[in-house]
């Protein structure tokens, strides 16, 4: 028995010395000290030893076990250190290598135009507010004086989530939402994405952007609207820009107008850019309809207001002389980098 024990011990120590890697070392541990290991088997055969020899033999087995465990532990530490060193060597970073270029893309012309419009109106004391892209039919149409069966609803055909909920066709519902909050006076703009079920071409897209504007206060007049939009056009297109208000119809404003600016390419003489007319249409506007004020809980006897809606893409296309709207949605960095 003693010899057998000695032989097992030597075998274990020899295998430990040979292991070389942590996995193998663990195999050795299992082979000798595990539940079915060779040393454990010796312990189990204690019953064959004469009772008076058992304590001494038991001690021998324990000593052998302790010795093997000790060497295993030491070897494990050594192998772990070696593995760490190898890893550190393998993962050395060469700080002299040139860095990878960080490609950050470019601000989109829409974004540049939006921020420019925001800057102008913030300068005039306006607040920038947000509204939901998925909107109640009620806000997108009803509260803007566009009841069911109104022809204006056909012109702004959109995507219906269900009977009551649509992808908004205009940013104008934010007018109703803001007025309903009742914090008067109001001076806000609201940029955002809108949707219509239009076919894609050089001037149309099923998803585009608008910037809504709304002012409600006591004694607001059409003169304020004119002055504000004239100032806006000058800041956006240049000091010499002239504006022209043409009568128009929008259901939620009365009176309503469309605004043209003098062509900033030819100064109004007429060129290819303005199709020979000298004028370029940029937005719709008007005095907030008294009925709309009423529906939003504001007394039209006490308060008046004006509103306007600008197509953001239209501004970007004009300002950067881009002739096809589709280019704005392709996000080709070679295109975007030009602005
Ligand atoms: N929402 C209108 C449209 O999409 C644009 C518009 C016209 C907005 C007149 C206004 C406005 O606020 O007063 O065609």
């Amino acid at each position: 028995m003693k010899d057998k024990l000695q032989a097992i011990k030597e075998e274990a120590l020899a295998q430990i010395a040979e292991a070389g890697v942590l996995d193998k070392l663990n195999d050795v541990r299992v082979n000798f000290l595990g539940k079915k290991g060779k040393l454990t088997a010796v312990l189990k055969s204690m019953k064959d030893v004469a009772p008076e020899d058992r304590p001494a033999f038991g001690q021998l087995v324990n000593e052998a076990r302790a010795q093997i465990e000790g060497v295993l532990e030491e070897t494990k530490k050594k192998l772990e250190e070696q593995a760490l060193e190898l890893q550190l060597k393998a993962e050395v970073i060469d700080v002299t290598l040139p860095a990878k270029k960080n490609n950050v893309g470019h601000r989109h012309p829409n974004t540049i135009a939006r921020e420019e419009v925001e800057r102008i109106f913030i300068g005039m004391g306006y607040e920038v507010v947000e509204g939901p892209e998925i909107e109640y039919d009620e806000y997108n149409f009803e509260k803007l004086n566009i009841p069911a069966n109104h022809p204006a609803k056909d012109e702004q055909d959109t995507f219906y989530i269900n009977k009551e909920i649509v992808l908004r066709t205009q940013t104008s519902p934010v007018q109703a939402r803001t007025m309903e909050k009742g914090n008067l006076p109001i001076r806000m703009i609201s940029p955002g994405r809108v949707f219509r079920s239009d076919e894609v071409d050089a001037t149309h897209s099923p998803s585009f952007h608008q910037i809504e504007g709304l002012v409600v206060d006591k004694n607001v007049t059409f003169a304020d609207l004119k002055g504000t939009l004239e100032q806006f056009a000058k800041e956006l297109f240049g000091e010499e820009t002239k504006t022209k208000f043409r009568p128009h119809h929008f259901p939620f404003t009365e009176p309503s107008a469309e605004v043209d600016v003098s062509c900033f390419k030819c100064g109004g003489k007429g060129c290819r850019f303005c199709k020979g007319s000298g004028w370029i249409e940029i937005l719709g506007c008007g005095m907030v309809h008294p009925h709309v004020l009423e529906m939003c809980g504001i007394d039209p006897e006490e308060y008046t207001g004006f509103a306007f809606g600008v197509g953001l893409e239209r501004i970007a296309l004009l300002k950067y002389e881009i002739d096809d709207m589709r280019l704005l949605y392709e996000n080709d960095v070679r295109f975007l980098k030009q602005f």
Side-chain angles (χ1 to χ4, degrees):
M1 270 303 217
K2 250 190 194 169
D3 291 346
K4 196 177 167 194
L5 189 61
Q6 182 66 21
I8 289 175
K9 196 171 87 184
E10 275 166 19
E11 194 192 348
L13 294 180
Q15 284 191 19
I16 292 172
E18 261 170 38
V21 288
L22 284 165
D23 279 354
K24 279 216 179 122
L25 193 67
N26 197 43
D27 290 347
V28 178
R29 171 190 296 279
V30 175
N31 272 339
F32 287 89
L33 308 181
K35 258 192 193 160
K36 291 178 183 164
K38 289 182 182 174
L39 198 70
T40 319
V42 173
L43 259 185
K44 280 181 187 158
S45 61
M46 253 327 214
K47 57 182 184 317
D48 303 331
V49 177
E52 62 275 22
D53 294 336
R54 278 181 198 166
F57 186 68
Q59 200 184 344
L60 277 180
V61 177
N62 281 339
E63 275 169 16
R65 189 182 176 90
Q67 207 183 340
I68 295 172
E69 271 176 351
V71 179
L72 266 173
E73 204 45 48
E74 245 171 59
T75 314
K76 189 176 162 207
K77 259 197 204 140
K78 238 187 345 209
L79 290 180
E80 277 173 351
E81 274 166 24
Q82 277 173 13
L84 182 66
E85 214 153 294
L86 275 178
Q87 193 188 359
L88 286 176
K89 270 198 194 133
E91 291 178 1
V92 146
I93 296 166
D94 182 352
V95 292
T96 65
L97 279 175
K100 270 193 195 152
K101 252 201 177 159
N102 197 1
N103 234 336
V104 288
H106 193 273
R107 273 156 87 241
H108 194 281
N110 269 355
T111 310
I112 305 174
R114 173 175 54 76
E115 288 177 355
E116 175 70 2
V117 175
E118 286 178 0
R119 187 191 63 74
I120 294 171
F121 281 103
I122 287 170
M124 295 195 241
Y126 285 59
E127 181 182 8
V128 180
V129 308
E130 257 187 276
E133 290 173 9
I134 301 173
E135 184 56 284
Y136 289 106
D137 181 282
E138 189 186 350
Y139 282 94
N140 195 82
F141 297 118
E142 302 267 337
K143 289 194 189 238
L144 297 172
N145 252 353
I146 312 173
N149 305 324
H150 192 286
K153 233 173 153 169
D154 282 341
E155 283 162 29
Q156 297 193 4
D157 192 19
T158 182
F159 306 93
Y160 282 80
I161 306 283
N162 58 37
K163 262 190 104 149
E164 280 108 50
I165 300 173
V166 302
L167 300 190
R168 67 176 176 188
T169 61
Q170 47 188 350
T171 43
S172 305
V174 189
Q175 286 190 32
R177 285 181 173 272
T178 308
M179 286 190 277
E180 269 188 359
K181 284 210 181 105
N183 300 326
L184 294 161
I186 295 166
R187 219 180 245 107
M188 71 83 168
I189 57 166
S190 182
R193 189 186 289 275
V194 299
F195 307 84
R196 297 201 190 164
S197 61
D198 281 336
E199 295 290 338
V200 175
D201 65 23
T203 53
H204 291 89
S205 159
S207 156
F208 57 105
H209 300 78
Q210 290 184 335
I211 301 179
E212 196 73 16
L214 175 69
V215 170
V216 180
D217 203 346
K218 288 177 179 158
N219 305 317
V220 175
T221 68
F222 202 93
D224 297 313
L225 169 62
K226 279 191 86 171
T228 303
L229 293 180
E230 264 171 33
Q231 182 59 24
F232 165 62
K234 284 191 163 135
E235 286 199 42
L236 193 61
F237 294 113
E239 196 48 42
E240 49 314 308
T241 308
K242 293 195 194 72
T243 37
K244 180 164 80 172
F245 286 68
R246 279 181 291 104
H248 199 77
H249 173 260
F250 295 105
F252 42 91
T253 44
E254 181 59 35
S256 306
E258 273 188 339
V259 174
D260 298 344
V261 291
S262 54
C263 178
F264 44 86
K265 271 242 116 168
C266 63
K269 283 194 225 67
C271 67
R272 206 173 60 90
F273 203 67
C274 55
K275 297 188 187 98
S277 75
W279 295 97
I280 297 171
E281 182 197 322
I282 59 158
L283 57 81
C285 65
M287 299 305 292
V288 182
H289 198 295
H291 187 226
V292 171
L293 287 172
E294 241 164 30
M295 279 190 285
C296 297
I298 296 176
D299 181 359
E301 296 297 328
E302 198 183 346
Y303 284 93
T304 49
F306 66 76
F308 51 89
V310 193
L312 181 60
E313 275 80 356
R314 184 149 179 81
I315 300 289
L317 295 179
L318 285 173
K319 234 181 131 56
Y320 305 115
E321 298 180 28
I322 303 165
D323 58 9
D324 192 327
M325 192 173 174
R326 285 167 288 201
L327 289 165
L328 291 178
Y329 305 119
E330 284 167 2
N331 286 335
D332 185 331
V333 180
R334 291 167 302 178
F335 167 75
L336 297 179
K337 280 210 163 131
Q338 302 172 66
F339 308 102

